[in-house]
Amino acid sequence: MYMFIREKRNSSGSISVQIISKSSGKYKVVKTIGSSSNEQEILKFVYLGKQEIERISCQPKLFVSENDTIVEQVFSVLNNADIRTVGPEIIFGKIYDHIGFKAIQEDLFRHLVIARLAFPLSKLKTIEYVYRFQGVTLDIDAVYRFLDKLNNKLKAQVEQIAFAHTKEVLQGNISVVFYDMTTLYFEASDEDDLRKTGFSKDGKHQHPQIFLGLLVGLGGYAIGYDIFEGNISEGRTLIPFIEMISKKFNLDKPVVVADAGLLSNDNIKALEDLDYQYIIGARIKNESGKIKKQILNRQLGDGQIMTLKKPGSTRLIVAYATNRAVKDEYNRRRGLRRLEKQIKAGKLTKSSINNKGYNKYLKLIGDVSIEIDYEKFNNDQSWDGLKGYITNTNLKDKQVIENYKNLWHIEKAFRMSKTDLRIRPIYHRLKHRIEAHICISFTAYCIYKELERVLYKEKSTLSLKKSAELTHNMYQINYILPESKHTQSKLLKMDDQQAELYQIIQKNF
């Protein structure tokens, strides 16, 4: 006879845990252990069911052993609170300590960061999580009071710990840094001194927003961040931010890499006046007619590069890639189709005629008629596949391009923060709570990056998202020995993927 555990879903939605026997091709319910809709209680029934199968499967005993009695006594007093989800703590908590954040003597900060990694929810939902899965009772007012002082109290320490870790991972080599900005919008309608409506990279132009500036090293490892008013010009943030970070961490004039959004004559001059070397994405279609003619006349092939001298020690590097040309053409045609659909639906007005995105292909006929300038659209094809870089470094052209390509790490950092960590939308409205929210998310990002590093190092196929999901069902059972009254803890058996993740963490931290 073979016995196994079955979890049967009832019409009420609850789950019944049963011991099923199979003999001569027939199935029989041996015993129903219990029924519940609570995940932890179901887990308890499964555990008790396995114990019962072991008991039944053993040869009949004349006397009940002392161990059997102890096990029976232990399990007879177990309740839901004795089974805890410990995955977030034994995975993310271990990395939190390894990076050095354990030096922050605030348990609440630890809870909020780990909750952001495992269950990125609102602060109110986070309180429910901490109680349900860690047995820690938090008061929402106490959490908000903590957030009110968090940024002023902890931001500097958080950044110093993150920088020290990045320096260690990069073996002291922080000669190149990458800067970019993104917008974070709010689910609130009112503006204030920090939250302003402005150009949104997320397309949320009517929502109050802030700018988040982030500086990382090679590989996307965090160095520092800052928050700016939502209506500030992106280009105006670069110099103050770089100077602040350089002084804070005593950086020795690293090469600054940034995208075309930060390209301006003022920024170029300021960087040079402060003796910074830089690599910045160029807007080659905004160059002089003479330079544009030189670029197009070269008719570069796949992988070919040309260099044009600029005033002073600056040069413009232009490269062509076939795969970029394919992507550029696809994006142009997709933008064109969207414009054609909007025109057909009568959704475009005079105010739509501007140089933002693909609206540059619109033109006004007479006083009210809006049409697409197909000649301008077709002429842009000659620029497909071309990418420019402005630099004053002595690096070779290919090294400049390779360094610039590392900007994708910071783009990935923003993507991870917005999706996996759900840094947006932000529901806070007070400045210090917004700052606290960003500080928690920055710390969580540092932990995410370290997990990503060790997963790659161990050649694991687990993704970051999957790893976070696996922590949700890593359980520990706490029980009291009946005679000694000592409390014991035991991790419940993990599945193969959970075991792989756990072993990676144990090995590396």
Side-chain angles (χ1 to χ4, degrees), residues 116 123 144 146-152 155 184-188 190-196 208-212 225-230 423-442:
R116 174 62 43 184
K123 299 301 180 291
Y144 284 131
F146 177 73
L147 293 177
D148 289 341
K149 63 181 182 179
L150 186 155
N151 193 70
N152 290 337
K155 180 179 186 284
L184 302 175
Y185 67 88
F186 295 80
E187 288 297 342
D190 298 328
E191 294 184 87
D192 52 36
D193 290 341
L194 178 63
R195 300 177 304 156
K196 300 283 187 180
Q209 65 180 25
I210 59 171
F211 271 112
L212 172 64
Y225 72 94
D226 206 357
I227 303 169
F228 302 92
E229 296 170 1
I423 195 173
R424 63 168 192 189
I426 301 174
Y427 294 91
H428 299 293
R429 60 182 179 85
L430 300 179
K431 180 180 178 182
H432 38 264
R433 291 184 187 171
I434 294 166
E435 292 169 337
H437 175 74
I438 302 298
C439 186
I440 290 167
S441 298
F442 176 80

Side-chain angles (χ1 to χ4, degrees), residues 147-165:
L147 293 177
D148 289 341
K149 63 181 182 179
L150 186 155
N151 193 70
N152 290 337
K153 186 177 180 182
L154 299 181
K155 180 179 186 284
Q157 187 179 8
V158 163
E159 283 190 312
Q160 289 291 344
I161 292 169
F163 174 74
H165 176 67

Side-chain angles (χ1 to χ4, degrees), residues 96 104-115 126-127 130 136-147 149-150 154 440:
Y96 180 99
I104 298 173
Q105 301 297 311
E106 293 283 359
D107 288 341
L108 184 50
F109 182 72
R110 182 192 188 94
H111 291 322
L112 292 172
V113 170
I114 293 175
T126 296
I127 288 175
V130 171
V136 177
T137 302
L138 299 176
D139 176 68
I140 186 62
D141 292 329
V143 171
Y144 284 131
R145 285 195 298 272
F146 177 73
L147 293 177
K149 63 181 182 179
L150 186 155
L154 299 181
I440 290 167

